[in-house]
Amino acid sequence: MATPNTPLWEVFIRSRNGLAHKHVGSLHASDATMALQAARDIYTRRGEGLSIWVVPSTAITASDPAEKGMMFEPAESKIYRHPTFYEVPEEVGHM
Amino acid sequence: MYTQALNTAEADDRGLEDAAKAAQFQARIDAEERIEPNDWMPAAYRKTLTRQISQHAHSEIVGMLPEGNWITRAPTLRRKAALLAKVQDECGHGLYLYAAAETLGSSREELVDAMLAGKAKYSSIFNYPTLTWADIGTIGWLVDGAAIMNQIPLCRCSYGPYARAMIRVCKEESFHQRQGYEIMLTLCRGSDEQKAMAQDALNRWWWPVLMMFGPPDSASQHSDASTKWKIKRFSNDELRQKFVDATVPQAQYLGLTIPDPGMTQDADGHWRYSEIDWTEFKQVLAGNGPCNRDRIAARRKAHDEGAWVREAAAAYAAKRQHRQTAQAAE
């Protein structure tokens, strides 16, 4: 008999205070409490974290890689958004 | 991020468009770009990786059994704590790898069920028994040593989730190999009986460990495509040779003899080993190794005996969900 599916969760860990939570992987658990406990066992066996977030994978909306041109190209052509686009004479010093 | 919603629809694409996409895909691989879960990929790439990653995951999980066999009989508390941590790591490695395999569109349950049904393979090495405490040392030293040789190039594999999982695995694997070598060293510095036990374990594990690298290059059926797709960076024979060259001096330090009287060192310093008995390898893969039936039976028993836990957890989650919905409606 096929085993019924258990929901998928994405795990985010903050390794040190002052840093952002970072995606480290995913796991299966039937509810949030069990997901947190499993995340502790799977992803922090060697003191990798101070804080864990678990998020149901179904709650994430992802951009479509096939549309990445349309999505991200507009930013690529706007080099005037970067500081190096502007000329400041050397005499003025660091700015 | 491992969302799979976008993966399946594109698997049906066929025809002319496919050829263009395939060429574009190969160009990305050649440029050393990483392929991510929602990217277009040829159906054969997806299939090859699903097979390889899930087999790798099954190997980690089945690999817990021969070592778990010795947890209650470890000679000291220090050894017991280390072995327990190692076996827990193997479980973690299995779980990272299942998660990576799932990004290709198969569910965890499908993958696990295929293993339990005997339809999916796992590493041949775990079908050998752990008869003495020295086997635990030998497994850490040689089996994990061989696994590291195989896994380090996989950290640069073209498929992102697999490569990332391997980076984590390799970091943890080094402890496994060192604790194994330390067990061997302690035995080899001990009584004559202890040293004999270490030699006996090496005698039994040496050839099966060399087989872990897979069939010789002349006979490997998956290598060509895997190399083109940069899933595989070195051939089976290249990795096997690297492993032998690294291991011989370690055995010499222990004062143990590699059970290959025909082994010679050539002018370049490489250790040339004798012909491997590939009939044994084929027999073990075909299910006729010393422990194949035991391993699958143990996995099925654990899965069946854990069924009530999965059912209870699902029922509890459903009940809470139901209650929350009812409260929200009030």
Side-chain angles (χ1 to χ4, degrees), chain B residues 1-299:
Chain B
M1 207 273 299
Y2 293 162
T3 308
Q4 290 142 40
L6 293 164
N7 286 347
T8 41
E10 289 189 302
D12 302 328
D13 282 3
R14 280 187 186 87
L16 285 176
E17 204 187 358
D18 255 19
K21 280 183 177 171
Q24 214 173 26
F25 174 83
Q26 189 59 46
R28 291 187 62 195
I29 300 264
D30 294 341
E32 294 288 334
E33 270 185 49
R34 290 287 176 273
I35 306 302
E36 292 298 334
N38 297 337
D39 294 347
W40 186 90
M41 61 187 85
Y45 179 82
R46 186 185 301 277
K47 198 174 152 199
T48 298
L49 273 172
T50 304
R51 194 199 71 242
Q52 180 172 338
I53 305 173
S54 63
Q55 283 182 6
H56 197 160
H58 301 328
S59 304
E60 300 284 354
I61 299 299
V62 176
M64 295 164 75
L65 297 169
E67 294 185 292
N69 179 34
W70 278 90
I71 292 174
T72 56
R73 293 178 289 163
T76 65
L77 190 55
R78 179 177 182 269
R79 295 285 185 220
K80 184 173 179 164
L83 185 56
L84 200 56
K86 178 178 190 296
V87 172
Q88 196 187 13
D89 273 356
E90 307 298 1
C91 177
H93 297 175
L95 297 180
Y96 311 150
L97 286 161
Y98 279 128
E102 286 171 73
T103 64
L104 293 158
S106 304
S107 73
R108 172 79 55 101
E109 289 77 7
E110 283 172 281
L111 299 173
V112 171
D113 287 349
M115 187 251 287
L116 295 175
K119 282 185 273 185
K121 290 191 165 57
Y122 54 87
S123 177
S124 58
I125 197 74
F126 300 116
N127 289 314
Y128 290 87
T130 41
L131 303 179
T132 70
W133 174 249
D135 290 42
I136 299 303
T138 312
I139 287 183
W141 171 37
L142 298 181
V143 175
D144 290 286
I148 292 172
M149 282 290 173
N150 255 322
Q151 288 167 351
I152 284 176
L154 286 174
C155 297
R156 293 187 292 126
C157 155
S158 61
Y159 189 56
Y162 194 23
R164 290 193 287 275
M166 291 325 300
I167 291 171
R168 269 192 86 86
V169 169
C170 284
K171 271 189 202 162
E172 298 177 351
E173 205 80 61
S174 168
F175 133 60
H176 299 177
Q177 193 187 16
R178 290 172 64 112
Q179 68 89 37
Y181 195 73
E182 196 196 78
I183 291 173
M184 296 307 275
L185 197 58
T186 309
L187 289 172
C188 290
R189 285 172 176 167
S191 65
D192 289 348
E193 286 91 339
Q194 286 172 318
K195 189 161 183 187
M197 190 164 87
Q199 181 65 55
D200 169 64
L202 175 60
N203 293 350
R204 283 181 289 108
W205 287 93
W206 177 254
W207 292 104
V209 165
L210 291 196
M211 293 173 200
M212 279 177 71
F213 293 93
D217 296 351
S218 51
S220 178
Q221 49 173 331
H222 302 299
S223 283
D224 291 347
S226 293
T227 305
K228 188 183 84 181
W229 286 327
K230 300 202 174 164
I231 296 170
K232 210 179 165 85
R233 301 265 177 178
F234 296 97
S235 77
N236 294 352
D237 285 336
E238 282 168 343
L239 290 169
R240 191 167 12 243
Q241 187 61 54
K242 266 193 187 187
F243 172 78
V244 170
D245 289 340
T247 306
V248 171
Q250 294 165 357
Q252 286 171 339
Y253 185 84
L254 293 171
L256 296 178
T257 312
I258 301 237
D260 179 0
M263 185 178 260
T264 52
Q265 192 174 24
D266 67 18
D268 302 331
H270 294 298
W271 289 93
R272 300 295 173 195
Y273 47 89
S274 307
E275 187 68 29
I276 293 171
D277 177 8
W278 293 110
T279 10
E280 177 180 328
F281 179 70
K282 282 182 198 137
Q283 281 297 317
V284 176
L285 273 192
N288 303 320
C291 300
N292 294 57
R293 272 184 295 268
D294 257 24
R295 300 299 186 225
I296 288 294
R299 285 312 313 153

Side-chain angles (χ1 to χ4, degrees), chain A residues 57-65 67 71, chain B residues 1-6 38:
Chain A
S57 301
T58 49
I60 292 174
T61 308
S63 66
D64 183 347
E67 314 237 300
M71 192 84 167
Chain B
M1 207 273 299
Y2 293 162
T3 308
Q4 290 142 40
L6 293 164
N38 297 337

